[in-house]
Amino acid sequence: MSLVTVKFGGTSMGNHDAIAQVGRIITDLRAQGHRILTVVSAMAGVTDQLRQAARSAATGDDLTHVDIVNALRARHYETVEQLASDDKIKKATLEELDMLLGNLNTMCHSIAVLREVTPRGMDLIMSFGERLSARVLAAHLRDRGFASLAIDASELIVTDTNFQDAAPIFEETNRRVQEFLVPYLESGSLPIVTGYIGATRDGIITTLGRGASDFSAAILGAAINTDDLWIYTDVDGILTTDPRIVPTARVIPALSYGEVGELAYFGAKVLHPKTIQPVIDKNVPVRVRNTFNATHPGTLIQPQAEITAGAIKAITVIRDVSLVSVEGQGMVGVPGIAGRTFMASARAGVSVLLISQSSSEQSFCFIVPQGSTTTVLDAVRRELRYELERRDVDRVWAREDVVILTTVGAGMRGTPGVAARVCGALSARGINILVIAQGSSEYSISLVIQSDEANEAVRALHELI
Ligand code: ASP
Ligand code: MG
């Protein structure tokens, strides 16, 4: 018998058929004798609807949120109707949902009166999706004769007060999990815990950031010392690249923690980037699997990397970025210009995705999200105004028509010639490389190219896998 933590995303919770399938996965595991901790997302689309309810209310509109809440009620009621046949269970669940939805409406009304929504208010509103979906699944399992209870993670995950993107405080979280969740699991019941949410020490609800239910599952899984963590989604696993660009993209059988970190950082959307962080110290194997193709093994993410022959395992593209360059003959040997440039960007609240400097020191460049181009240019020009006046720096400028293309694979460490193969594949197609950067982990090589050549470049590199 082992302890398995399973997480189901929004599509897996999307309607009654999907939730019935989730129920089967859980009860099959149970029949194999495992203890199971389940973490769920809101039904697909619900979190966006909640945000819209709050936003519209914040403009003083006291009607739109009523429509949204009614739509949410109809959808959740319908799902319960389909998933619970026992009248008592059905009635109790609908009452519970109704109470939550009533609260939600009242809160939106308060926002409409105040015409303002704070990040803290936003978190409260956006927490309702998971609180609703967890109750629906628990009711379904009870209806099928299992002991199951929906638990709000606000009782378990203690966070800081950084609303909308709160960070867990692990020590206190672990203590609460040991105290409240572990005994329940040990009793053989099936707890269904909400993803995405936590609460401050004072019990004020927070959210861990969009898509963070994966992260919640990892936090809770690590806290119960889970043997396995399975992230169920609607694709077979992590793919070699975006199948819309390369139809022959395939599931990667195994990746290391390091490789997945690099992939998540460079834009692969399957797993929330923070998911691995809580399980690293405990060496928990993580699997990404498909709810709707439950026999597929998915992608296994483990502490160590398996080196594959081609060295490259995956290719990602980050679009909507700009390449900012700082150029000048007079920069040679002048310390601090790069440092001040990055400090200026950081002070402007912009995070830099990639940095490259030519060894001649006559220029360096970096990538920022396209939406922050003007902010960064203004901040850097202000910071370097004397150097610009003295012509030590000739110009600070940006190109917006670029993408970052990243190849990921641990085998690139110490394998000579991978960069050459990558660059060769692109030049064979006449694709010009503007910037090259290798991560110091040597798990990835990133290239900046013109955006209209992105898809062709991905296809060319995919042939190298
Ligand atoms: N429901 C949340 C979101 O849509 C969290 C998640 O699904 O992981 O962002
Ligand atoms: Mg997700």
Side-chain angles (χ1 to χ4, degrees):
M1 183 192 75
S2 62
L3 195 49
V4 184
T5 302
V6 289
K7 178 264 172 177
F8 295 93
T11 323
S12 305
M13 298 294 290
N15 56 41
H16 65 87
D17 282 333
I19 297 177
Q21 170 62 8
V22 166
R24 279 191 291 274
I25 291 175
I26 296 171
T27 54
D28 283 353
L29 281 170
R30 173 62 200 269
Q32 292 160 27
H34 301 300
R35 298 248 147 101
I36 306 127
L37 167 62
T38 305
V39 178
V40 294
S41 287
M43 294 180 84
V46 168
T47 310
D48 285 331
Q49 284 176 289
L50 291 167
R51 187 181 48 197
Q52 206 215 325
R55 282 197 178 152
S56 59
T59 67
D61 166 1
D62 208 4
L63 297 172
T64 304
H65 68 87
V66 178
D67 290 342
I68 292 175
V69 171
N70 283 339
L72 291 177
R73 179 180 286 110
R75 181 168 173 198
H76 287 84
Y77 270 30
E78 215 265 326
T79 312
V80 172
E81 293 285 347
Q82 300 278 347
L83 289 173
S85 49
D86 180 285
D87 278 338
K88 263 194 10 228
I89 293 176
K90 199 185 290 188
K91 186 159 169 281
T93 309
L94 293 182
E95 272 172 19
E96 222 181 329
L97 298 188
D98 203 48
M99 208 174 69
L100 284 172
L101 291 161
N103 284 343
L104 173 61
N105 233 344
T106 311
M107 286 162 195
C108 289
H109 172 66
S110 319
I111 291 173
V113 172
L114 295 169
R115 297 192 178 219
E116 181 193 23
V117 59
T118 57
R120 172 172 160 169
M122 204 46 142
D123 272 0
L124 182 56
I125 301 286
M126 288 173 76
S127 74
F128 276 88
E130 274 71 9
R131 289 153 75 192
L132 293 165
S133 65
R135 282 163 175 81
V136 173
L137 176 58
H140 174 58
L141 290 168
R142 281 200 299 278
D143 192 67
R144 290 193 44 203
F146 296 90
S148 179
L149 183 72
I151 301 176
D152 289 346
S154 45
E155 308 288 331
L156 299 170
I157 298 181
V158 184
T159 73
D160 62 14
T161 55
N162 188 18
F163 294 99
Q164 303 266 280
D165 192 20
I169 301 170
F170 284 99
E171 242 169 76
E172 283 171 52
T173 301
N174 291 347
R175 204 175 322 125
R176 286 209 195 178
V177 167
Q178 286 303 325
E179 195 173 333
F180 302 116
L181 185 59
V182 169
Y184 192 74
L185 270 169
E186 277 171 359
S187 75
S189 299
L190 297 169
I192 311 297
V193 184
T194 59
Y196 184 48
I197 72 178
T200 65
R201 288 200 175 99
D202 302 333
I204 298 161
I205 288 188
T206 53
T207 66
L208 311 180
R210 292 309 303 272
S213 292
D214 300 342
F215 185 35
S216 305
I219 296 168
L220 296 168
I224 61 165
N225 287 312
T226 194
D227 295 303
D228 287 280
L229 169 60
W230 294 348
I231 307 283
Y232 277 93
T233 174
D234 53 5
V235 289
D236 283 340
I238 300 179
L239 296 176
T240 47
T241 197
D242 183 343
R244 285 167 305 183
I245 306 175
V246 182
T248 54
R250 43 190 193 271
V251 173
I252 307 169
L255 286 168
S256 68
Y257 289 168
E259 288 171 324
V260 143
E262 213 82 349
L263 268 177
Y265 181 81
F266 286 111
K269 294 232 167 54
V270 246
L271 209 56
H272 189 275
K274 290 182 190 158
T275 310
I276 299 301
Q277 180 199 318
V279 301
I280 283 183
D281 291 337
K282 305 207 165 170
N283 289 341
V284 178
V286 180
R287 238 177 226 287
V288 177
R289 312 188 64 162
N290 189 348
T291 302
F292 308 102
N293 188 11
T295 54
H296 194 291
T299 299
L300 172 65
I301 304 164
Q302 52 197 357
Q304 299 303 327
E306 284 171 14
I307 311 292
T308 53
I312 299 169
K313 290 185 188 165
I315 296 148
T316 63
V317 190
I318 306 186
R319 297 174 202 267
D320 302 320
V321 292
S322 305
L323 179 65
V324 180
S325 302
V326 178
E327 298 173 353
Q329 307 276 336
M331 292 193 324
V332 181
V334 180
I337 292 189
R340 282 165 51 211
T341 300
F342 296 124
M343 279 310 293
S345 312
R347 275 197 304 271
V350 178
S351 70
V352 171
L353 289 159
L354 181 150
I355 297 174
S356 170
Q357 175 170 29
S358 67
S359 57
S360 71
E361 285 189 58
Q362 290 182 17
S363 73
F364 61 91
C365 54
F366 54 101
I367 293 277
V368 296
Q370 209 170 76
S372 2
T373 315
T374 329
T375 314
V376 173
L377 285 179
D378 288 350
V380 174
R381 285 178 183 145
R382 213 173 316 121
E383 175 66 36
L384 299 181
R385 59 191 177 278
Y386 296 119
E387 285 78 6
L388 280 163
E389 259 168 40
R390 284 204 305 264
R391 307 300 308 254
D392 285 347
V393 171
D394 294 325
R395 63 177 187 153
V396 176
W397 65 292
R399 321 185 29 160
E400 300 208 314
D401 59 339
V402 299
V403 298
I404 306 178
L405 200 68
T406 301
T407 58
V408 176
M412 295 195 279
R413 184 202 298 267
T415 309
V418 179
R421 278 204 299 142
V422 166
C423 297
L426 296 188
S427 70
R429 308 245 180 154
I431 296 168
N432 186 29
I433 299 169
L434 301 167
V435 178
I436 284 200
Q438 176 162 32
S440 61
S441 66
E442 289 189 46
Y443 285 169
S444 68
I445 297 173
S446 293
L447 310 161
V448 178
I449 62 168
Q450 224 166 277
S451 44
D452 57 7
E453 294 174 329
N455 289 358
E456 200 191 340
V458 172
R459 285 192 284 266
L461 295 183
H462 198 261
E463 286 172 12
L464 300 179
I465 296 184

